[in-house]
Amino acid sequence: MTASAKTPELPLQRRYDIADFAPFITLAVLMVLFSVVAENFLSLRTLTIMLQQGAVLAIVATGLTFVLLAAEIDLSVGMVALLAACLCGVLWEQPWAAGPQSLADGPPPVVSLWTLLRVLVPPLLLVLALGALTGVLTVSSGLPSFIISLAMMNIALGLSRFLTGSRKFSVPQLLQELGNGSWQLPLGFRCPKSAAVAAVVLLVAHLVLQHLRFGRFVYMTGGNREAARLSGVPTNRIIVACLSISAVTAGLGGMLNAGRLNSVSLDQNADLLLNAVACVVLGGTSLFGGEGGIGRTLIGVATFMVLQVGLNLINVVRLVKSWPLSPAWKEWALQSSVVTQFDMLRPFLLGVALLLALVIQGRLLARRRG
């Protein structure tokens, strides 16, 4: 090769298209929309609400990210979260665990570390065992994980009903403080403590996926399981580990949510599964495995919370009064059922918006894969 010859350019290792930026575009569009139509949307108070309400969702979605990256699905996370919270509440009111002093009136009693361990660790160990059992049955039976996890969902619900007898239970003061407490920061911003817990979980999961061999094995298992197995990746163990991680994060999220609500009952976490899956997929993690990550899940959680909180902040009456319409049209609009019963339409609008966003991102990802 002569000195004047041009060195051929190396191909780029990663080619980006619109599917990579779709989650960011969706989030930006929603923020601009709600900053216009929702009152006080761009405020520190709204940010605090989003962080507090989204913390549990972020923790549960983190575990689901591992499962989806491995090309599996876990339908039991909502009921597993409920089971962990129920067992925690039952233990908290047992004399041999926390004792009746946990229910005494007056200031919260001083609880020893050993007491907290007796109350908080068994629920996590139980859900870890259930998650591992789901994984073992999935790889040993050859059945899809959604079938096994669907059965596990009913098992967790049945155990929750048996433990509580459909009664409410209190939870440790530590969980209540983590669920509702906050730190006062400069500029009047209050950072919820639950958001700090979620940040730690997200950070640890990101480091595991990006910097440990286990994380590489998760991506390889989801990308091409047979090729990964032939390359020496213990794919069965990876699947068991991912489902176990999902169960533990679900249990942690369930106990934190019970602390936020100051008690545990069977009507909690009803929408947790669907919301967590929506967050992971909204962030761009593929349902076919091998593509995505914790950063994308964080974007998905942020998008979901912007959509949910933004819809709750919309004041339809104020919007109608600000429209440039004639008095007669305004009077008709203010008396219409859409305005007077808008609160009942919020779940419908949330579902429609989520459906549109998921379908658009799904088509973009399918086009890139095809």
Side-chain angles (χ1 to χ4, degrees), residues 108-147:
V110 177
V111 180
S112 66
L113 177 61
W114 175 238
T115 297
L116 286 176
L117 291 177
R118 289 201 302 263
V119 173
L120 300 179
V121 173
L124 295 178
L125 292 178
L126 174 60
V127 297
L128 173 62
L130 292 180
L133 179 60
T134 301
V136 170
L137 292 176
T138 297
V139 299
S140 62
S141 66
L143 293 172
S145 56
F146 80 89
I147 294 292

Side-chain angles (χ1 to χ4, degrees), residues 48-62 178-179 192-199 201-202 249 252-253 256-257 260 272 301 305:
T48 300
I49 293 174
M50 290 183 184
L51 290 174
Q52 186 176 35
Q53 295 183 1
V56 171
L57 204 52
I59 293 173
V60 178
T62 298
L178 290 176
K193 295 181 179 180
S194 57
V197 176
V201 174
L202 288 165
T249 55
L252 178 61
L256 191 62
N257 191 43
R260 185 175 68 88
L272 187 57
V301 173
M305 293 313 304

Side-chain angles (χ1 to χ4, degrees), residues 2 7 42 70 76 92 96 156 164 168 199-200 202-203 214 224 228 235 240 269 286 288 297 313 328 352 356 369-370:
T2 62
T7 303
L42 296 178
S76 65
W92 180 241
W96 56 267
T164 62
K168 271 191 174 183
V200 172
L202 288 165
L203 178 61
F214 172 78
N224 190 324
T235 54
V240 173
N269 306 322
S286 174
F288 302 100
T297 296
L313 291 177
V352 170
L356 290 175
R369 292 174 65 92

